Amino acid sequence: MALSAAPLKVCIVGSGNWGSAVAKIIGNNVKKLQKFASTVKMWVFEENINGRKLTDIINNEHENVKYLPGYKLPDNVFIHKVCDEITGRVPKKALGITLIKGIDEGPEGLKLISDIIREKMGIDISVLMGANIANEVAAEKFCETTIGSKILENGLLFKELLQTPNFRITVVDDADTVELCGALKNIVAVGAGFCDGLCCGDNTKAAVIRLGLMEMIAFARIFCKGQVSTATFLESCGVADLITTCYGGRNRRVAEAFVKTGKSIEELEQEMLNGQKLQGPQTSAEVYRILKQKGMLEKFPLFTAVYQICYEGKPVREMISCLQSHPEHI
């Protein structure tokens, strides 16, 4: 999403399930707010749907029939093909906000998506993370979310662009923690899905959520070198997103199917996710490599068990052993 001089132009890069839900909010908001240009551009990877280009369908019928079927996008949201190279085409005074819940592995370990965008494009990047299942947001059911911004006034501008009565936003300056929460909770959700597949019950799942939250906080303190506000974990990006993902998200659903069907994560992605990728297992692999490098695997038994079950053939029942032996304090 890029903003430039007044009236501020808005562009949405990416048009999956979540990108389309946010496009619906932004398209409606800019019609009411004079600060923003009234036309919103959306960039998308072109796909053919029953012989028609996805861009043509969205431009003409204002609906993303593949990733967010059943919800009309406002008629001021247009689509441009996603360029291979955005870098160099965006002015340096533009502002960005990332809605991507994931992390990458850099040469020195873990790399936040916002850092990658910031470095490549040379612009300030905020992050938005929260308990926001896309279809519920598109249906205008009430939810909260968190914007993390290192420059608070930029976060407040994005709040103005994105907030609605049913999409309530809190802005905090602990941006790295906000973003880490969005990535790490997907690992915990895979663990919750394993428990569902094993029919462990709600008490066990509550333990997974609590112990997972402890590991999220401990990992954030290592990664952010101690500069972490515990209060951030009480925002929507923290405990709320963790709960909703462990009960309703795709990571939980696929992990449960992994136990019940015996199929691989890759097979289940293709069968169940309509072309979307699963973030939890991939994030667990990146986190595992970092913890191993630091000799800290034993302090993160839940994160470690999720990785080993997904990638090393460890039996799913070992999930319960990791809970039984979990340290009381990390």
Side-chain angles (χ1 to χ4, degrees), residues 140-311:
E140 297 180 24
K141 294 179 178 177
F142 177 81
C143 70
E144 300 175 307
T145 199
T146 312
I147 289 177
S149 196
K150 294 181 180 187
I151 301 169
L152 214 53
E153 66 184 283
N154 293 348
L156 293 169
L157 181 64
F158 282 115
K159 175 176 178 172
E160 198 176 343
L161 175 66
L162 287 157
Q163 184 160 265
T164 74
N166 285 323
F167 191 61
R168 191 167 71 183
I169 297 170
T170 302
V171 182
V172 300
D173 61 6
D174 194 6
D176 288 353
T177 306
V178 171
E179 190 168 2
L180 272 175
C181 283
L184 297 175
K185 54 97 189 185
N186 287 322
I187 306 177
V188 186
V190 172
F194 290 156
C195 285
D196 288 344
L198 293 167
C199 301
C200 291
D202 287 336
N203 294 340
T204 309
K205 193 144 115 175
V208 168
I209 292 170
R210 188 187 78 81
L211 295 168
L213 182 60
M214 281 173 64
E215 292 194 16
M216 286 169 62
I217 295 169
F219 189 89
R221 286 191 175 133
I222 293 164
F223 178 75
C224 300
K225 299 177 178 66
Q227 298 173 327
V228 166
S229 169
T230 310
T232 304
F233 292 92
L234 298 177
E235 298 290 350
S236 182
C237 62
V239 68
D241 196 11
L242 180 61
I243 291 167
T244 199
T245 310
C246 287
Y247 278 90
R250 71 180 88 147
N251 289 279
R252 187 219 63 80
R253 196 161 43 95
V254 174
E256 181 182 21
F258 176 85
V259 181
K260 291 185 169 174
T261 65
K263 293 179 180 176
S264 70
I265 295 287
E266 291 75 19
E267 286 176 282
L268 292 166
E269 270 183 341
Q270 289 174 345
E271 284 177 27
M272 299 174 68
L273 296 185
N274 192 26
Q276 293 180 300
K277 299 303 276 182
L278 204 61
Q279 314 99 315
Q282 189 184 328
T283 305
S284 80
E286 284 146 6
V287 165
Y288 181 85
R289 279 192 285 273
I290 288 152
L291 292 174
K292 191 175 181 183
Q293 191 186 331
K294 291 182 180 289
M296 300 183 79
L297 289 173
E298 73 290 343
K299 291 194 171 183
F300 294 84
L302 194 149
F303 285 178
T304 302
V306 167
Y307 167 78
Q308 290 173 335
I309 292 165
C310 288
Y311 293 105

Side-chain angles (χ1 to χ4, degrees), residues 99-148:
L99 283 63
I100 300 165
K101 292 180 175 177
I103 48 179
D104 202 0
E105 198 194 4
E108 282 125 44
L110 183 146
K111 195 113 168 135
L112 297 175
I113 301 293
S114 64
D115 285 336
I116 294 166
I117 301 169
R118 198 176 286 114
E119 286 167 20
K120 285 195 169 212
M121 297 178 66
I123 64 173
D124 184 65
I125 299 289
S126 299
V127 299
L128 183 146
M129 305 282 151
N132 308 138
I133 291 172
N135 292 55
E136 293 181 15
V137 173
E140 297 180 24
K141 294 179 178 177
F142 177 81
C143 70
E144 300 175 307
T145 199
T146 312
I147 289 177

Side-chain angles (χ1 to χ4, degrees), residues 51-71:
R52 290 180 67 194
K53 287 181 176 179
L54 182 57
T55 49
D56 290 341
I57 295 170
I58 298 178
N59 277 337
N60 293 311
E61 294 163 30
H62 305 290
E63 182 181 348
N64 188 332
V65 292
K66 179 165 183 183
Y67 294 111
L68 195 71
Y71 295 102

Side-chain angles (χ1 to χ4, degrees), residues 308-328:
Q308 290 173 335
I309 292 165
C310 288
Y311 293 105
E312 294 186 346
K314 190 171 190 170
V316 184
R317 288 218 70 85
E318 295 290 314
M319 191 66 217
I320 309 306
S321 315
C322 105
L323 303 178
Q324 291 167 336
S325 60
H326 204 286
E328 286 185 34

